């Protein structure tokens, strides 16, 4: 246990060593911190990227959770030290500060695992205390676990409640974890957002058993919350990063029956080696059971990704309606219906599992609420009087709802890009009709036979703009239908014209296009039947295309330009030339 007079205590000026840091310049490491850093669980964080798949979009964002944890530890120490020095009446001890730091590491060690988060944190904490013989009493252990959970009720009532605002602030979301990652992630992605974390730390005072800040820093604190939203919107949830994340999850699911990855999280000894290198473990394996997983990993290594078909920013209040109504099953049902109506004999192997409906909530830190509304401030003239910031105390340029929903539709098979987009829009049409009619139920789907759609009146609508209907096209009945569910819901169910493509559009990644152009592409037609056109691309320039026709039917090369094959636009190919047989031919890139 760390006592106040411990010669190796947290506040001893002389550090055992220092760590260079790109954000905080230099981080001193003292004896108590060193006990935790030099353990296998903490060193494991060197092998886990802080931003996960974001490094596939921003290559420089390859920093790990190891340096983030050190940064959070440093800021926590600064904040606790500042409070102890400037408010001696709080009676903050070395024990308090030391255990505040203990609680930082544990959630980071298992971040990303949705399985009983608190249970996993406690498992790893107990592992360190036991295996590294950290001298902690039962009371101290309960205190650290309570800090991890952010719940003061899990420890003795004598513990100082304001300490829970430092690490995992459930009151307003403002804590040193955010102060570090907002700066660090911004810097490493080249989208720098600078603020003086030490200034915010030195602004802190404990009043009414909670951490308050100087009112002159209210705008800066709001900007920190705004930046958090920006990082989630533009960096963490980037369309490509999300696509790769889905591919990695699918690869792990394919490997799970053979590798039993999920079981490792319950065993601390095995969990220590569960990190980003799990993909390399799969790739190195020669086990036939992992072939499907290896092929999927190879696919995203080659940048042949799941593709975002369409996106839409939606009102936060519409989240449940989207989740209930826009499903992969319903989109698949519409796509299949279109194929059946066309009577096409072409193979159609799209399934509901090949369609991803991604619904992401992005906010300032407190869902739809403004975190500043839950933060108290003081002023220089009234340093001991905590108050909430009111109108005029800081900028009034802020939204009424501090959250929104980002809806994205992905396809795992880019060749059906256009069909998925067309089917999604068909679902929107049905959704609009259901809401405008005030129906209580939504149409049956294979998996949502009894799903219910919230009534349109349950949505919060925006005030109408005078004359907004004047320029709208459509009949009076259509105008009435639009007004029935308000402007915000009308936008939710409207078509995204920026993503508009034809039903036959087939997306091709730039890397795949480059490889194909360098090796050639060939369009082949059956001689004597100009309507029977088969479009073929190949990565083997010397392929014998006569093998395409098992019955020996002659064919002709009618177009070797890769650009003509990019979208599979067979209708634009010139008629075949009679009497020219298909032969070996290497196509030049154009």
């Amino acid at each position: 246990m760390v006592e106040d007079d411990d010669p190796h205590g947290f506040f001893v000026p002389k550090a055992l060593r220092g760590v260079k840091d790109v954000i905080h310049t230099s981080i001193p490491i003292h004896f108590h911190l060193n006990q935790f850093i030099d353990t296998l669980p903490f060193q494991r964080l060197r092998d886990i990227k802080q931003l996960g798949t974001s490094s596939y979009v921003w290559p420089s964002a390859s920093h790990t959770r190891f340096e983030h944890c050190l940064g959070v530890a440093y800021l926590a120490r600064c904040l606790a030290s500042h409070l102890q020095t400037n408010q001696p009446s709080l009676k903050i001890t070395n024990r308090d500060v030391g255990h505040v730091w203990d609680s930082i590491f544990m959630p980071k060690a298992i971040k990303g695992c949705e399985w009983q988060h608190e249970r996993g944190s406690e498992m790893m904490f107990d592992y360190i205390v036991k295996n590294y013989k950290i001298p902690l009493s039962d009371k101290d252990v309960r205190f650290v676990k309570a800090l991890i959970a952010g719940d003061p009720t899990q420890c003795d009532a004598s513990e100082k409640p304001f300490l829970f605002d430092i690490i995992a602030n459930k009151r307003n979301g403002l804590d040193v974890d955010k102060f570090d990652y907002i700066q660090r992630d911004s810097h490493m992605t080249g989208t720098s957002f600078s603020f003086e974390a030490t200034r915010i730390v030195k602004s802190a005072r404990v009043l009414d058993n909670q951490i308050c800040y100087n009112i002159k820093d209210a705008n800066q604190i709001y900007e920190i919350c705004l930046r958090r939203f920006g990082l989630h919107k533009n960096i963490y949830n980037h369309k490509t990063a999300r696509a790769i994340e889905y591919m990695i999850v699918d690869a792990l699911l394919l490997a799970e029956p053979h590798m039993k990855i999920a079981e490792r999280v319950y065993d601390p000894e095995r969990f220590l080696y569960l990190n980003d290198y799990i993909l390399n473990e799969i790739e190195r394996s020669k086990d036939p059971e992992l072939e499907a997983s290896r092929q999927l990993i190879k696919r995203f290594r080659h940048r042949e990704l799941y593709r975002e078909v369409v996106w839409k920013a939606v009102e936060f209040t519409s989240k449940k309606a989207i989740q209930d109504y826009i499903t992969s099953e319903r989109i698949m049902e519409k796509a299949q219906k279109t194929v059946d109506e066309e009577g096409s004999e072409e193979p159609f192997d799209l399934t509901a599992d090949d369609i991803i409906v991604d619904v992401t909530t992005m906010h300032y830190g407190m869902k739809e609420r403004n975190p500043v509304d839950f933060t108290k401030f003081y002023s220089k003239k009234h340093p001991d009087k905590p108050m909430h910031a009111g109108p005029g105390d800081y900028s009034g340029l802020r939204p009424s709802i501090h959250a929104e929903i980002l809806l994205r539709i992905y396809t795992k098979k880019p060749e059906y890009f256009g069909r998925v987009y067309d089917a999604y829009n068909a679902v929107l049409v049905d959704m609009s009709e259901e809401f405008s009619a005030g129906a209580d139920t939504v149409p049956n789907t294979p998996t949502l036979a009894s799903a219910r759609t919230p009534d349109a009146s349950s949505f919060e609508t925006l005030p109408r703009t005078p004359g907004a209907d004047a320029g709208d096209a459509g009949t009076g009945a259509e105008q009435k239908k639009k007004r029935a569910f308000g402007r915000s819901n009308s936008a939710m169910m409207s078509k995204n014209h920026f993503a508009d493509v034809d039903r036959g559009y087939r997306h091709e990644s730039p890397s795949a296009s480059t490889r194909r152009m360098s090796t050639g592409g060939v369009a082949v037609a059956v001689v004597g039947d100009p309507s029977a056109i088969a479009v073929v691309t190949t990565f083997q320039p010397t392929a014998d295309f006569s093998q395409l026709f098992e019955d020996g039917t002659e064919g002709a090369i009618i177009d070797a330009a890769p650009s003509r094959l990019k979208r599979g636009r067979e209708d634009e190919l010139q008629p075949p030339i009679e009497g020219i047989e298909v032969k070996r031919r290497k196509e030049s890139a154009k």
Side-chain angles (χ1 to χ4, degrees):
M1 178 176 177
V2 181
E3 302 291 350
D4 290 344
D5 58 353
D6 185 352
H8 299 294
F10 196 86
F11 293 104
V12 174
K14 185 177 180 180
L16 293 180
R17 68 178 192 264
V19 175
K20 296 294 184 182
D21 183 67
V22 69
I23 300 299
H24 307 298
T25 306
S26 180
I27 297 176
I29 306 298
H30 297 273
F31 175 80
H32 189 57
L33 303 186
N34 195 66
Q35 284 184 300
F36 284 85
I37 291 175
D38 292 339
T39 64
L40 287 178
F42 196 93
Q43 293 298 316
R44 167 184 176 270
L45 302 182
R46 292 180 182 271
D47 297 325
I48 302 177
K49 291 179 181 177
Q50 171 71 5
L51 297 189
T53 58
S54 294
S55 62
Y56 286 93
V57 183
W58 290 271
S60 61
S62 296
H63 56 300
T64 68
R65 291 183 190 158
F66 180 83
E67 51 261 45
H68 169 55
C69 285
L70 293 181
V72 176
Y74 171 71
L75 290 179
R77 172 182 177 274
C78 289
L79 180 52
S81 299
H82 166 76
L83 295 176
Q84 188 208 44
T85 302
N86 289 273
Q87 292 182 270
S89 60
L90 297 176
K91 298 181 180 180
I92 297 177
T93 66
N94 290 349
R95 169 189 178 274
D96 296 326
V97 180
H99 292 336
V100 163
W101 187 89
D102 297 345
S103 66
I104 296 169
F105 151 69
M106 299 312 307
K108 304 300 177 186
I110 64 165
K111 185 177 180 180
C113 295
E114 298 298 331
W115 59 281
Q116 299 178 339
H117 184 84
E118 291 78 12
R119 175 182 174 182
S121 299
E122 292 178 5
M123 177 187 74
M124 296 306 295
F125 178 72
D126 290 338
Y127 177 87
I128 291 179
V129 172
K130 177 181 178 181
N131 287 271
Y132 292 91
K133 297 179 172 55
I134 306 294
L136 295 177
S137 66
D138 291 341
K139 180 180 179 180
D140 292 340
V141 169
R142 289 195 302 273
F143 179 42
V144 172
K145 290 181 178 180
L147 286 169
I148 292 172
D151 184 3
T153 64
Q154 295 186 18
C155 60
D156 292 359
S158 61
E159 303 294 357
K160 303 172 180 64
F162 60 84
L163 293 175
F164 291 84
D165 290 352
I166 297 178
I167 304 302
N169 193 338
K170 299 295 180 66
R171 190 191 315 277
N172 51 40
L174 292 170
D175 48 50
V176 293
D177 176 52
K178 290 184 180 63
F179 293 165
D180 182 83
Y181 82 66
I182 287 175
Q183 289 187 92
R184 191 175 302 278
D185 296 349
S186 297
H187 177 81
M188 300 306 291
T189 55
T191 56
S192 294
F193 171 76
S194 299
F195 70 92
E196 295 183 55
T198 53
R199 174 191 172 95
I200 301 297
V201 165
K202 292 178 180 179
S203 169
R205 283 180 62 81
V206 174
L207 301 169
D208 289 349
N209 263 329
Q210 62 181 281
I211 294 180
C212 307
Y213 298 93
N214 195 315
I215 187 60
K216 66 181 181 180
D217 294 317
N219 280 307
Q220 179 73 87
I221 288 175
Y222 183 78
E223 288 176 9
I224 291 172
C225 299
L226 174 61
R227 181 57 179 171
R228 179 196 183 276
F229 170 78
L231 285 171
H232 278 269
K233 187 178 182 69
N234 301 316
I235 307 296
Y236 308 151
N237 288 288
H238 186 277
K239 64 175 184 177
T240 302
R242 290 289 286 174
I244 295 175
E245 184 177 329
Y246 277 116
M247 296 183 79
I248 290 176
V249 169
D250 282 351
L252 295 178
L253 290 174
L254 288 171
E256 173 61 21
H258 181 67
M259 297 183 67
K260 308 297 182 184
I261 300 170
E263 295 178 1
R264 304 184 191 184
V265 300
Y266 297 101
D267 181 355
E269 292 287 352
R270 300 177 68 193
F271 185 78
L272 286 174
Y273 304 100
L274 190 59
N275 51 43
D276 289 351
Y277 291 100
I278 186 69
L279 296 180
N280 301 102
E281 184 180 340
I282 295 173
E283 289 177 294
R284 284 193 302 267
S285 173
K286 300 297 183 181
D287 294 341
E289 295 87 352
L290 297 178
E291 180 60 26
S293 181
R294 285 195 295 270
Q295 289 301 319
L296 188 54
I297 295 173
K298 182 183 293 185
R299 179 177 163 183
F300 80 74
R301 299 284 196 207
H302 287 168
R303 209 71 173 185
E304 297 172 6
L305 310 177
Y306 296 168
R307 288 298 166 184
E308 179 194 64
V309 175
V310 65
W311 75 95
K312 183 176 286 292
V314 183
E315 292 270 350
F316 178 78
T317 51
S318 301
K319 181 177 181 178
K320 189 176 187 305
I322 291 174
Q323 291 177 324
D324 287 348
Y325 205 103
I326 303 178
T327 65
S328 57
E329 290 80 13
R330 188 168 277 119
I331 294 173
M332 179 61 212
E333 186 180 82
K334 290 295 183 182
Q336 185 65 59
K337 181 180 179 181
T338 302
V339 171
D340 294 342
E341 290 174 350
E342 291 175 350
S344 174
E345 296 182 359
E346 293 183 4
F348 183 66
D349 59 349
L350 184 72
T351 68
D353 288 338
D354 297 323
I355 301 170
I356 300 171
V357 178
D358 182 42
V359 180
T360 305
T361 302
M362 296 172 295
H363 53 87
Y364 283 50
M366 293 286 289
K367 296 293 179 66
E368 74 277 17
R369 299 169 294 181
N370 181 1
V372 178
D373 291 342
F374 297 85
T375 306
K376 288 188 176 182
F377 298 89
Y378 65 89
S379 66
K380 185 176 181 179
K381 293 183 174 60
H382 304 283
D384 297 319
K385 185 178 180 181
M387 295 180 288
H388 288 289
D393 292 329
Y394 69 110
S395 176
L397 297 177
R398 52 185 185 270
S400 58
I401 299 178
H402 287 72
E404 70 176 10
I405 304 300
L406 180 60
L407 168 66
R408 286 194 180 116
I409 308 298
Y410 287 87
T411 176
K412 298 181 182 181
K413 296 180 177 178
E415 61 267 30
Y416 295 115
F417 190 108
R419 288 200 176 275
V420 173
Y421 176 75
D422 182 71
Y424 161 76
N425 284 318
V427 171
L428 289 186
V429 171
D430 283 355
M431 189 177 185
S432 176
E433 292 176 352
E434 289 290 333
F435 274 76
S436 62
D440 291 329
T441 60
V442 297
N444 292 339
T445 64
T447 60
L448 293 175
S450 60
R452 297 181 63 83
T453 300
D455 186 85
S457 62
S458 66
F459 291 100
E460 179 178 326
T461 58
L462 298 175
R464 293 183 53 75
T465 302
D469 293 335
D472 289 348
T475 65
E478 290 172 340
Q479 297 292 349
K480 185 176 181 180
K481 181 184 293 185
K482 290 181 180 179
R483 289 192 292 269
F485 43 82
R487 189 170 66 188
S488 62
N489 292 314
S490 177
M492 176 183 73
M493 292 176 276
S494 65
K495 184 177 181 179
N496 184 347
H497 294 284
F498 289 102
D500 199 18
V501 294
D502 296 332
R503 182 182 297 170
Y505 177 77
R506 303 182 182 188
H507 184 88
E508 184 174 46
S509 67
S511 55
S513 177
T514 300
R515 284 194 295 272
R516 179 176 53 74
M517 291 178 67
S518 64
T519 57
V522 176
V524 179
V526 178
V527 172
D529 186 2
S531 64
I533 299 176
V535 178
V536 180
T537 59
T538 177
F539 297 132
Q540 300 177 7
T542 59
D544 187 351
F545 294 102
S546 62
Q547 295 178 1
L548 290 172
F549 309 106
E550 296 180 357
D551 60 358
T553 304
E554 292 183 345
I557 298 175
I558 58 176
D559 192 346
S563 61
R564 300 291 293 277
L565 302 174
K566 190 171 184 179
R567 297 189 179 183
R569 299 170 67 176
E570 296 90 342
D571 57 318
E572 293 187 4
L573 297 177
Q574 55 186 304
I577 303 174
E578 293 283 351
I580 299 180
E581 295 182 356
V582 177
K583 60 183 69 176
R584 294 176 183 269
R585 175 174 175 179
K586 182 175 181 179
E587 306 299 337
S588 59
K590 296 188 179 181

